[in-house]
Amino acid sequence: MTDVLGTHTTELSGRAAQLLRDLGADLPTPGALTARTPITGEPLLTLAATEADAVDAAIDRAATAFRSWRVVPAPARAALVRRLAELLVAHRRELAELVTLEAGKIRAEALGEVQEMIDVCEFAIGLSRQLYGYTMPSERPGHRLMETWHPLGVVGVISAFNFPVAVWSWNTALALVCGDTVVWKPSDTTPLTALACHALLRRAAVEVGADPEVHQLIQGGSEVGARLVDDERVALVSATGSVRMGRIVGPRVAARFGRCLLELGGNNGAVVTPSADLELASRAIVFAAAGTAGQRCTSLRRLIVHSEVAAPLLQRLTKAYRQLRVGNPLDDGVLVGPLINERGYGAMRSALDRALADGGELLCGGERVDGFGTDAHYVTPAIVRMPAQTEVVREETFAPILYVLEYQDFDTAIALHNAVPQGLSSAVFTRDQREAERFLAADGSDCGIANVNIGTSGAEIGGAFGGEKQTGGGRESGSDSWKAYMRRATNTVNYSTQLPLAQGIKFE
């Protein structure tokens, strides 16, 4: 097939195969699982899904490797992550290109995602010497009270298509330095990037003398993930995906008393106040709402703007939106690539129809961009002015739709912002310190991420990433997120010759 991209699908397929070889991955055995490129919608490669008994065997290998990995000193475990970071630096462009081919991200965003992997590896390396526990004063003389942190076990990682490599690295880099082993089930939409990352980590393990079995890769659909979720040998399941997926995974892991770390939906909002720097706000809003074609969990979906500045702000935004170049993400100058597949496009069209039926006004965008093949789905990012926060606005649509709501007072803005089921990322644009502090206060934004004068997306790895309510409550990446991957023990040491009891109890 050749389309107006001027790119043969067979060329893209061949390029994907060559990138896998360059990254040290074996070409997959052909099978029923198809990796497609959203650039054209056509197949890249096929591969076999992991059979049920092979999933069990992978978990068993990880559980066996854990028994020796957990006693390796944490700074020594960091050698594996350090070597992985070095390989990522050396192969940054190849891995980023594979992300573009398989997930449709523009080059800059794909390179940024790989850089995020490198950054979190660096964070984890330093963390390996900082797995601190507290020492507390004991009420009993001659006693010491303290806590220690120990490796947890096998960590199951279930990742989504929109960040096919970064989210894996958030979990894996931390889990490995914490002494855990990892079984990774990537999205069945992005299996090739998973093959590449698995190969790089296995190579790193061999080169530093670590056991390569500390990392396992399983591929396939929900039935493969279900075996990972239900296996009692998996101590922690870290799952990124939809709220619907979280409603399934959470109770099943809880039923076997496993741990769960959920990163689910984000219907993110930004408040723009009368004092806001509209030029700064406009730039932040456009990137947050249109970047990655609206397919980030942190994408801006609701703009809550004061009526005094609504007109000039919307004028800026619509002008900027009309200048966004939508097209092949491999081309220079393209800012918005394709939606991942037809289902994503259908969800966008349905949401726009519902918004207009609710009285919304389409200010710009929402059209399909033709010329990329019938199986590819490119759209112009849309801005819709809404009369109220209707049900479709309260839902997360994984597409570039920005709903605009107006407000008159700041309390109303916060109430509108919080009146959705999701609670991931949020922002306020203001030059009023009182408004900024109020937004960050206990009665302000109810999200896990609250920003002032920056957008909702583009979080740094140093802070904990995650959200509240239907977003799942999980935390990954920076700060003290490492605690999710370890178990805590409280220790009391009696170095006296007496045996006093706590709370002054006498038992003679």
Side-chain angles (χ1 to χ4, degrees):
M1 165 193 167
T2 304
D3 59 25
V4 297
L5 288 172
T7 304
H8 291 276
T9 299
T10 53
E11 290 177 2
L12 294 181
S13 176
R15 183 57 182 157
Q18 183 59 52
L19 287 168
L20 284 176
R21 286 190 287 265
D22 292 344
L23 290 161
D26 295 329
L27 292 184
T29 302
L33 186 62
T34 302
R36 296 180 178 273
T37 175
I39 295 174
T40 62
E42 296 295 314
L44 291 172
L45 296 168
T46 67
L47 60 163
T50 308
E51 299 291 339
D53 57 349
V55 174
D56 296 341
I59 296 172
D60 189 63
R61 290 193 296 272
T64 300
F66 170 70
R67 288 195 285 272
S68 56
W69 185 244
R70 64 184 171 180
V71 296
V72 175
R77 296 193 293 254
L80 170 55
V81 179
R82 181 179 295 107
R83 184 58 187 146
L84 173 62
E86 292 169 350
L87 292 174
L88 290 171
V89 170
H91 296 285
R92 180 171 176 250
R93 293 195 174 276
E94 294 95 328
L95 184 55
E97 186 177 347
L98 191 58
V99 169
T100 294
L101 288 179
E102 196 170 39
K105 288 191 172 185
I106 64 173
R107 287 185 185 274
E109 290 192 84
L111 284 166
E113 181 168 352
V114 179
Q115 184 60 49
E116 193 168 327
M117 302 174 75
I118 298 165
D119 293 345
V120 81
C121 285
E122 292 177 351
F123 177 86
I125 294 163
L127 178 67
S128 70
R129 295 182 182 272
Q130 301 179 77
L131 302 174
Y132 299 137
Y134 292 117
T135 297
M136 291 77 73
S138 173
E139 68 183 65
R140 291 171 283 186
H143 286 60
R144 179 160 59 91
L145 187 61
M146 64 181 183
E147 66 180 21
T148 50
W149 291 86
H150 303 289
L152 182 63
V154 177
V155 173
V157 178
I158 300 174
S159 59
F161 79 87
N162 59 327
F163 279 87
V165 294
V167 171
W168 166 76
S169 70
W170 290 359
N171 287 276
T172 301
L174 268 64
L176 289 174
V177 299
C178 288
D180 303 325
T181 55
V182 175
V183 180
W184 181 22
K185 191 275 177 194
S187 168
D188 55 4
T189 309
T190 53
L192 303 184
T193 48
L195 289 174
C197 291
H198 180 61
L200 288 174
L201 182 53
R202 285 290 184 107
R203 175 182 164 186
V206 170
E207 291 179 355
V208 301
D211 184 357
E213 301 301 324
V214 297
H215 189 266
Q216 304 290 326
L217 174 64
I218 56 177
Q219 300 264 27
S222 58
E223 69 285 352
V224 173
R227 294 195 76 86
L228 189 65
V229 166
D230 292 336
D231 198 301
E232 292 189 353
R233 293 169 295 179
V234 179
L236 169 69
V237 175
S238 177
T240 302
S242 66
V243 173
R244 181 187 62 82
M245 181 270 287
R247 292 188 190 281
I248 297 170
V249 170
R252 287 171 70 160
V253 175
R256 59 175 180 81
F257 296 101
R259 292 195 199 176
C260 214
L261 195 165
L262 297 176
E263 298 286 1
L264 309 175
N267 190 358
N268 312 294
V271 176
V272 181
T273 73
S275 69
D277 180 335
L278 296 187
E279 176 61 26
L280 181 148
S282 298
R283 295 200 309 270
I285 289 165
V286 172
F287 173 72
T292 324
Q295 297 172 119
R296 291 178 176 233
C297 52
T298 54
S299 290
L300 179 60
R301 311 200 183 280
R302 297 176 300 126
L303 185 63
I304 302 163
V305 56
H306 195 280
S307 57
E308 286 184 13
V309 293
L313 178 62
L314 290 175
Q315 184 178 16
R316 289 171 180 266
L317 292 177
T318 53
K319 180 180 179 180
Y321 265 51
R322 292 188 178 108
Q323 294 173 343
L324 289 174
R325 184 180 171 192
V326 179
N328 181 353
L330 291 169
D331 291 345
D332 293 335
V334 168
L335 295 176
V336 180
L339 293 173
I340 189 67
N341 53 28
E342 183 178 10
R343 185 171 61 182
Y345 174 71
M348 180 175 181
R349 285 304 329 158
S350 175
L352 285 174
D353 290 343
R354 291 172 60 195
L356 297 181
D358 288 341
E361 176 190 3
L362 181 63
L363 301 182
C364 66
E367 304 95 355
R368 182 167 181 176
V369 181
D370 295 322
F372 296 93
T374 57
D375 295 320
H377 299 86
Y378 293 76
V379 295
T380 54
I383 301 176
V384 185
R385 189 201 297 262
M386 297 297 295
Q389 191 156 260
T390 62
E391 191 60 32
V392 70
V393 181
R394 297 179 73 251
E395 298 171 359
E396 179 190 37
T397 301
F398 227 56
I401 303 175
L402 180 63
Y403 299 111
V404 180
L405 302 159
E406 294 187 24
Y407 77 94
Q408 299 294 329
D409 64 88
F410 200 61
D411 284 343
T412 300
I414 291 178
L416 269 174
H417 176 274
N418 293 347
V420 295
Q422 310 85 358
L424 178 52
S425 189
S426 60
V428 64
F429 293 90
T430 182
R431 284 183 279 203
D432 185 323
Q433 186 175 355
R434 290 187 179 91
E435 290 176 335
E437 295 294 341
R438 169 70 193 287
F439 191 76
L440 303 180
D443 59 347
S445 168
D446 63 359
C447 293
I449 300 170
N451 298 327
V452 177
N453 292 328
I454 63 169
T456 56
S457 60
E460 298 182 33
I461 59 91
F465 181 92
E468 302 301 322
K469 300 190 292 188
Q470 288 187 6
T471 302
R475 292 297 185 276
E476 294 173 325
S477 188
S479 186
D480 65 348
S481 299
W482 61 270
K483 292 180 179 179
Y485 304 88
M486 304 196 82
R487 62 179 180 86
R488 184 197 320 242
T490 300
N491 314 128
T492 305
V493 178
N494 180 2
Y495 59 89
S496 74
T497 59
Q498 305 300 312
L499 193 63
L501 300 178
Q503 293 87 43
I505 295 173
K506 302 295 184 182
F507 193 76
E508 302 295 345

